[in-house]
Amino acid sequence: MPTILITGSSSGLGLAFLKHYASLPNTSILALDVSPPPPDIARLPNVEFSVTDITSPISIPVEQRESPLHLLIHCAGVRGLVPDIVKNMRGNVAAAETMSVMDKETMMKTLEINCFGAFNVLQTFLPRLLEAALSTSKADPPKIVVMSSRMGSVASNAMGGGYAYRASKAALNAVVKSFSVDFPDVVFLAMHPGRVETGLVEWKEEGAISPEETLVDCVKVIQEAGPDMSGKFVDRWGKDIPW
């Protein structure tokens, strides 16, 4: 029975991934989020949910510490907007992340959650994926897929702004790349799922697509990703994004 870990699984894209994989036969899901899951998810027999702060030490039950983990999808993250601007200028994302309003607290919190939080999750659960690698073929290795953003691409930044979010996702991409070099038996992928309505912003952004809309494309890329894709930064169709 394949075991899949999904973070950020109480809402948005993480919840969409959880529902998809939980519906597959003979699949076991480990779900992490800082918030409790919806009641219907909590009742699913093949889902084990843990309320977890990814920036703190993550506790793994003794019986799970050496059991194989075949796929890790990391969706947890924050948007990096200055709270006072969000409150006073509701609906204006750009105004809440400009140079003039950005502050140390927002910047550091965004880096802590989006970059260190991801590192913490990968560092904690990597031994279980390496365990899975011992019993899987080279053509179908265990995988770690981290939801990044095109805003983390330095080469693609033509609009400026977004200081905390851009910095945190660029740092996240560097972390994923280093893991891919250090641990070649696991496939590591940084993925931009598109502008998705995930709950990172308190209102619907113009042009945002639903988690269900991007899910189909993301799942296909995840299924087809092999060792040759490890360490890449791609969009939801698997096309390379420049660093």
Side-chain angles (χ1 to χ4, degrees):
M1 175 184 293
T3 302
I4 300 170
L5 172 69
I6 302 171
T7 70
S9 51
S10 285
S11 63
L13 188 53
L15 180 58
F17 275 121
L18 190 155
K19 289 180 177 179
H20 168 76
Y21 285 107
S23 70
L24 302 180
N26 302 318
T27 301
S28 176
I29 308 294
L30 301 177
L32 306 182
D33 203 305
V34 72
S35 302
D40 60 326
I41 298 300
R43 291 191 292 267
L44 292 175
N46 62 334
V47 175
E48 181 178 342
F49 197 96
S50 175
V51 176
T52 302
D53 177 357
I54 61 169
T55 65
S56 299
I58 299 173
S59 177
I60 303 176
V62 174
E63 65 273 13
Q64 292 183 5
R65 288 178 185 172
E66 297 182 359
S67 60
L69 183 62
H70 303 88
L71 173 62
L72 190 162
I73 302 178
H74 180 66
C75 300
V78 295
R79 185 62 174 82
L81 306 180
V82 178
D84 286 346
I85 307 301
V86 171
K87 180 179 179 180
N88 296 323
M89 300 182 67
R90 184 174 176 81
N92 193 339
V93 173
E97 55 182 1
T98 65
M99 182 276 293
S100 60
V101 303
M102 186 53 59
D103 54 45
K104 180 179 179 180
E105 183 178 1
T106 300
M107 178 77 78
M108 298 310 295
K109 179 179 179 181
T110 306
L111 284 165
E112 180 185 27
I113 295 173
N114 289 355
C115 182
F116 175 73
F119 174 83
N120 190 35
V121 169
L122 270 57
Q123 183 186 50
T124 300
F125 291 99
L126 179 63
R128 296 182 58 184
L129 285 108
L130 294 174
E131 180 68 24
L134 298 176
S135 57
T136 57
S137 69
K138 295 292 184 181
D140 187 28
K143 303 169 186 178
I144 292 180
V145 182
V146 177
M147 292 300 123
S148 184
S149 170
R150 193 182 298 274
M151 288 184 70
S153 166
V154 176
S156 299
N157 184 359
M159 298 181 66
Y163 286 89
Y165 192 66
R166 288 187 189 278
S168 70
K169 290 299 186 177
L172 169 65
N173 289 346
V175 165
V176 174
K177 181 64 177 180
S178 283
F179 268 101
S180 74
V181 174
D182 291 340
F183 302 98
D185 291 335
V186 177
V187 170
F188 293 85
L189 201 61
M191 178 180 285
H192 168 62
R195 180 178 289 184
V196 184
E197 184 63 26
T198 62
L200 293 185
V201 177
E202 296 176 7
W203 55 84
K204 182 176 175 59
E205 293 187 78
E206 183 178 354
I209 60 178
S210 70
E212 291 72 24
E213 187 174 348
T214 192
L215 177 73
V216 175
D217 298 321
C218 291
V219 167
K220 183 179 179 182
V221 172
I222 293 170
Q223 289 175 336
E224 295 177 353
D228 61 316
M229 285 188 70
S230 190
K232 289 192 172 185
F233 179 24
V234 301
D235 64 17
R236 74 188 219 236
W237 298 286
K239 296 180 180 179
D240 288 347
I241 297 175
W243 296 108

